[in-house]
Amino acid sequence: MNEEQRKQQAQINQVDNVERIKSASSDDMIAKYFQTSYEQQSPDIKKARKRRNEDVQFHYDFSIPEDVANIGKGKKFLIRTYGCQMNEHDTEVMAGILTEMGYESTSITDEADIILLNTCAIRENAENKVFGEIGHLKPLKLENPDLIIGVCGCMSQEESVVDRILKKHQHIDLIFGTHNIHRLPQLVKEAMFGKEMIVEVWSKEGDVIENLPKVRKGKIKAWVNIMYGCDKFCTYCIVPMTRGKERSRRPEDIIQEVRHLVAQGYQEVTLLGQNVNAYGKDFEDLEYGLGDLMNAIHKIDIPRVRFTTSHPRDFDDRLIEVLAQGGNLLDHIHLPVQSGSSEILKKMNRKYTREEYLELVQKIRKAMPNTTLTTDIIVGFPNETEEQFEETMTLMEEVGFEAAYTYIYSPREGTPAARKKDDIPEEVKKQRLYRLNDLVNKQSAESMKTYDGKTVKVLVEGESKKDPDVLAGYTERNKLVNFKGPKSSIGKIVEVKITEAKTWSLNGIMVESTVEVN
Ligand code: SAH
Ligand code: SF4
Ligand code: F3S
């Protein structure tokens, strides 16, 4: 197709698209549009649950096909991100791909030629937000039929979500899954020139795709994926189905990426995975775990290294020994516990007891006495009793977590827990969450108070959100600090004397002499 034919085809499609959206209220009409030339590949959650020990394929040959290399010239993209750090990092990859296709980024919805919703399926409210946004975008699509709206991320991996979009939201042009990100160039082209909604969601165990372009959100801190997927199958959790099996990137690829970031001036990396402690367990030719990887990164000249998320079950002695070296390996471990009751932990399939978790905490504290521990907790798991909830409260105190992300259990279709009858009223669950949050706030405030009058090292990220005259950054133990200091300190590590401790942040004044030192 030459340029002129392409334009003509696009105009024809435009008219078709408007008709498709307008008529989408009737199921019969929708069926008509399923007679598609493009082979739809919809998700299959049962297939996604299976682990067949397929070999992981590593692909190093990503490139933008020539026929789409300039397809975005003069056009703009916007990606909204709804999920975890891995989801945010996927957004950086998609931004990288679209940029290589000639698109420019925009934050203004009306200006965008392509809008992608990078979704999260972890709880129902995350999904509701996305459906709200899908609804909001309909008038925009009717006004501008050339606009491409895509839904990607973890929700796309769910059959029920894809069915709902196909039935009720025909203004969506494109749905693609977490295993299909590298196919974005081809998919955008299909969406641009095709008439039907494009659905490409692979429910496979997953491969590792290297050398994908990235446009990172910041120039100071960077995410680095070290592994993908999850094989833990906690009974409440959708992630093993949306992200495929655990598969680790090769150490040399990770180390090369970190070195590259150092060369670009990055000050901090966070190593990412749903269960980073399982790193390397899938290598058949190599005895190499997270401890070994951290040890290698410890030697690289990057000031700060973090990692998330740790599963307590796989947290081994080698890792503790390596982390205890300190240096650029920071004193903060996020160690989701989920519940303080061994019975609930068993029902959750977490594979550790309350006692085993406490033993691990003791081991970590012995090797690293200054470590800050934070956690994730779910309240209201099906049939959680008052006593079992109380065990979570006492564990919270016993460990002395300095912060916790707390959630009410949300049933996820396709997970074993969602099939359980649940006798606990929603109101009781809410009350438990409030009680837990009061305790979390109290413990956070107490830990913040210990910093009052002390001097801490802060990696300065920029102006504070509330006041451009105030700078903001994080301490080694991940505490937010707002302080007065020169703009020239942005991107550097400076010393700040704390003058006021709040529940979730600290205020301070920069120690002047430190700005040149770092
Ligand atoms: N891989 C990480 C967690 C990723 S999801 C881990 O295992 O530690 C982040 C958090 O969301 C979980 O730790 C859990 O607390 C919460 N979560 C996951 N599924 C949930 C559900 N169905 N309802 C409520 N919270 C959930
Ligand atoms: Fe979900 Fe459990 Fe895997 Fe974390 S470890 S992603 S909670 S299944
Ligand atoms: Fe959400 Fe998927 Fe992350 S479900 S928490 S975006 S892995």
Side-chain angles (χ1 to χ4, degrees), residues 103-118:
Y103 284 96
E104 266 176 61
S105 140
T106 179
S107 54
I108 302 164
T109 314
D110 288 350
E111 253 184 38
D113 300 283
I114 174 162
I115 298 175
L116 298 180
L117 306 181
N118 191 10

Side-chain angles (χ1 to χ4, degrees), residues 7 35 237 260 367:
K7 270 190 197 148
Q35 295 155 3
C237 185
H260 210 80

Side-chain angles (χ1 to χ4, degrees), residues 455-472:
T455 299
V456 289
K457 286 197 173 124
V458 177
L459 172 56
V460 191
E461 291 185 21
E463 293 164 1
S464 103
K465 278 190 195 130
K466 288 187 199 140
D467 182 351
D469 289 335
V470 172
L471 297 177

Side-chain angles (χ1 to χ4, degrees), residues 33 66 86 109 117 155 187 255 308 330 338 355 388 398 414 427 441 482 514:
Y33 293 105
E66 240 171 63
M86 274 137 280
T109 314
L117 306 181
M155 277 170 72
L187 294 170
I255 289 165
T308 198
L330 301 185
Q338 313 300 358
E355 291 69 33
Q388 288 165 336
E398 204 169 327
E427 195 43 45
N441 290 349
N482 293 303
T514 60

Side-chain angles (χ1 to χ4, degrees), residues 26 93 96 115 119 136 185 239 274 276 278 360 445 452 490 497:
S26 131
V93 170
I115 298 175
T119 63
H136 285 144
V239 172
Q274 281 299 351
V276 286
L360 175 62
D452 210 352
I490 293 173
K497 184 161 187 227

Side-chain angles (χ1 to χ4, degrees), residues 188-318:
V188 167
K189 186 182 159 192
E190 294 283 351
M192 209 176 251
F193 299 113
K195 287 187 199 167
E196 299 83 15
M197 195 188 297
I198 306 293
V199 180
E200 189 183 280
V201 183
W202 296 339
S203 297
K204 56 194 281 180
E205 291 180 52
D207 290 339
V208 174
I209 321 280
E210 290 291 344
N211 301 331
L212 291 170
K214 297 170 190 100
V215 172
R216 297 183 190 270
K217 213 165 118 195
K219 301 214 169 319
I220 301 167
K221 303 204 290 190
W223 310 114
V224 176
N225 265 129
I226 63 166
M227 61 182 302
Y228 304 93
C230 183
D231 287 344
K232 281 285 174 284
F233 290 100
C234 302
T235 54
Y236 51 81
C237 185
I238 191 87
V239 172
M241 278 78 92
T242 64
R243 293 269 167 182
K245 76 168 169 187
E246 286 175 357
R247 51 212 194 273
S248 305
R249 286 180 71 197
R250 303 295 298 186
E252 57 276 18
D253 294 333
I254 299 168
I255 289 165
Q256 192 192 30
E257 186 174 341
V258 175
R259 285 194 198 287
H260 210 80
L261 291 165
V262 174
Q264 291 171 278
Y266 281 90
Q267 300 289 308
E268 180 176 311
V269 292
T270 302
L271 309 180
L272 288 183
Q274 281 299 351
N275 171 16
V276 286
N277 300 78
Y279 176 77
K281 289 191 193 300
D282 53 321
F283 291 146
E284 279 174 7
D285 58 337
L286 203 62
E287 275 284 319
Y288 196 93
L290 183 63
D292 303 302
L293 182 69
M294 295 297 278
N295 200 36
I297 296 178
H298 174 63
K299 294 180 188 130
I300 298 178
D301 191 19
I302 178 113
R304 291 182 165 198
V305 182
R306 300 184 192 276
F307 59 100
T308 198
T309 298
S310 280
H311 191 293
R313 167 87 186 190
D314 295 322
F315 210 109
D316 59 26
D317 293 351
R318 166 81 177 135

Side-chain angles (χ1 to χ4, degrees), residues 10 24 125 128 141 190 215 262 291 296 306 338 429 454 512:
N125 57 4
N128 290 343
K141 175 76 187 180
E190 294 283 351
V215 172
V262 174
R306 300 184 192 276
Q338 313 300 358
K429 296 187 182 200
K454 293 216 173 103
E512 287 296 335

